Amino acid sequence: MSTKKIAVLPGDGIGPEVTAEARRVLEWFIARRKLDLRLDEYAYGADAYRRLGQVLPKATEEALHAAHAILFGAMGGMDGDAIPRAARVAGGLPHVRRSLELFANLRPIVTIPALYESSSLKNRLLQGVDFVIVRELIGGIYFGQPRGIEILPNGERRGFNTQTYTTSEIRRIARFAFELARTRRRQVCSVDKANVMEAGVLWREEVQALRDAEFPDIELRHLYVDNCAMQLVRAPAQFDVVVTDNIFGDILSDCAAMAAGSLGMLPSASLGPVDQAGRRAALYEPVHGSAPDIAGRGIADPLGAILSVAMMLRLSLGRPDDAALLERAVAAALEGGARTADICEPGRAAVSCSEMGAAVLRELDRLS
Ligand code: IPM
Ligand code: MG
């Protein structure tokens, strides 16, 4: 067994704070569970731009391609105006995802009973919530051409983007969702806007055709995205696997996060295609983003980043038992009363980002 390289990119905003805690957790597994990993940190984001003149420096980009897996903090929000738009786009997260061909983004939403009170939804709606949003990550309106801002003959400006999906792009993500559903409750809900958009008509037809041809054992239904947004807050327990496009997945996952108590709780994995050697590029990041309003104050919730490590253990490191151990440790830390500000009920004292990390490490020691 050779040492696997993990590229760590703390990035912008609260990225460095939460990644430091995720890293401590990963180091616990290296030390205590004989995980043979090397963690190397690389410059990325506003800080990299300030120091090296590039949001995504060449050495970082090369490390991303060479890594067995990537632990990513956050990008954006900081110094937005100080970095020219072209430099931000060239090194931005959408570019990183695309250059690694990370087409499948998994965002699991699981409710933890200790956090029912932190959710904006009623307790009775939260029981049994356990679903995954499978978001297509490198197509659609995020990348479609033409795009731009132009000046019209009458002097007005016009901004435009293009929603586009091909058969193979749709089938690739749908196949991923169906295969995932086979390891779960075998229910897939596909989300589109087929009542208005041609790209949505094609999406629906292709997802259904693939299901009929190759996945007859999977129960498939289709929802329009507006209805899905409503269903996510009306009855979130109805979902198993939700598959959708890039922008709908972006929006619906923030919405769904409230079932888990806070956006700060959501982990994610972004995966590429499996190559001939059976390997796939993989990037693990909390869903919350850079949160510039609270950056540098040590109050961010590291659990989204820490639960992303659990996803890495399961999906890239072949350690399902360690992943489950980490998830149990997170639940136990919450049951023990540790709460960062975002999940703290009124009248309870909040812990800091690093205290939350320490609480998880204590539970790992206790449970292992
Ligand atoms: C996300 C984020 C990103 C996205 C931003 C930071 C580009 O909101 O991962 O959900 O829109 O994909
Ligand atoms: Mg988002």
Side-chain angles (χ1 to χ4, degrees):
M1 278 262 296
S2 62
T3 305
K4 290 179 174 135
K5 282 189 271 184
I6 307 294
V8 181
L9 275 67
D12 295 326
I14 60 172
E17 303 160 44
V18 299
T19 305
E21 300 313 311
R23 189 181 170 141
R24 283 213 285 166
V25 165
L26 201 45
E27 276 160 359
W28 185 94
F29 282 92
I30 293 170
R32 301 287 300 276
R33 308 285 283 195
K34 297 196 168 59
L35 204 53
D36 193 6
L37 299 182
R38 211 182 84 198
L39 311 184
D40 294 309
E41 233 166 90
Y42 294 93
Y44 179 73
D47 181 52
Y49 184 78
R50 245 187 325 270
R51 290 192 291 120
L52 306 162
Q54 278 180 312
V55 171
L56 176 63
K58 189 116 204 83
T60 303
E61 183 149 34
E62 279 167 14
L64 292 181
H65 286 271
H68 183 81
I70 301 156
L71 182 61
F72 189 92
M75 85 143 300
M78 308 290 284
D79 293 353
D81 302 327
I83 305 175
R85 189 178 149 73
R88 247 185 301 143
V89 172
L93 191 49
H95 165 84
V96 169
R97 292 166 174 169
R98 197 155 204 193
S99 83
L100 292 164
E101 216 186 335
L102 304 173
F103 72 96
N105 180 224
L106 276 76
R107 299 187 163 183
I109 290 99
V110 182
T111 51
I112 298 175
L115 284 188
Y116 281 4
E117 278 308 315
S118 309
S119 172
S120 55
L121 300 182
K122 290 193 168 66
N123 280 6
R124 66 182 156 80
L125 301 180
L126 299 174
Q127 276 146 37
V129 170
D130 176 0
F131 64 95
V132 188
I133 296 178
V134 174
R135 168 187 176 192
E136 200 293 323
L137 200 58
I138 55 172
I141 201 163
Y142 273 55
F143 298 97
Q145 295 290 345
R147 64 188 296 164
I149 300 175
E150 65 181 8
I151 299 181
L152 297 175
N154 69 0
E156 252 205 312
R157 293 198 300 160
R158 173 176 172 267
F160 54 99
N161 293 86
T162 303
Q163 169 75 326
T164 152
Y165 272 104
T166 62
T167 299
S168 57
E169 287 173 322
I170 298 167
R171 287 191 175 225
R172 173 159 79 165
I173 194 69
R175 176 179 303 284
F176 186 96
F178 290 139
E179 283 171 356
L180 177 65
R182 275 188 175 152
T183 70
R184 299 175 49 95
R185 302 193 298 278
R186 291 179 187 253
Q187 294 162 11
V188 172
C189 174
S190 173
V191 178
D192 60 49
K193 191 68 183 169
N195 51 345
V196 176
M197 297 164 75
E198 284 72 11
V201 172
L202 187 74
W203 181 280
R204 187 171 288 221
E205 288 175 2
E206 293 297 341
V207 172
Q208 186 67 51
L210 182 65
R211 141 71 178 65
D212 294 347
E214 294 183 41
F215 298 92
D217 54 314
I218 300 293
E219 195 185 301
L220 171 66
R221 64 181 174 132
H222 304 272
L223 286 183
Y224 296 135
V225 62
D226 49 348
N227 184 16
C228 180
M230 190 260 281
Q231 295 298 336
L232 282 170
V233 289
R234 190 190 72 84
Q238 69 184 287
F239 296 105
D240 179 20
V241 174
V242 175
V243 63
T244 192
D245 76 10
N246 204 343
I247 194 160
F248 295 157
D250 177 47
I251 298 165
L252 294 176
S253 56
D254 270 34
C255 177
M258 291 320 295
S262 158
L263 187 54
M265 293 297 302
L266 282 210
S268 82
S270 304
L271 305 174
V274 179
D275 68 15
Q276 274 146 354
R279 287 200 44 210
R280 71 192 321 165
L283 181 150
Y284 298 86
E285 63 172 315
V287 174
H288 52 61
S290 62
D293 52 324
I294 60 162
R297 290 166 56 194
I299 61 168
D301 185 346
L303 294 181
I306 288 171
L307 289 168
S308 300
V309 168
M311 294 188 83
M312 182 190 288
L313 288 166
R314 187 174 282 120
L315 298 172
S316 282
L317 301 174
R319 294 289 191 105
D321 295 347
D322 285 337
L325 170 67
L326 178 50
E327 286 159 355
R328 280 203 307 280
V330 167
L334 293 167
E335 274 149 32
R339 295 283 188 282
T340 42
D342 59 318
I343 47 174
C344 197
E345 301 111 71
R348 196 196 273 261
V351 304
S352 69
C353 181
S354 61
E355 282 164 350
M356 181 60 100
V360 173
L361 290 171
R362 270 197 305 278
E363 294 299 337
L364 282 172
D365 282 338
R366 197 176 61 81
L367 292 168
S368 63

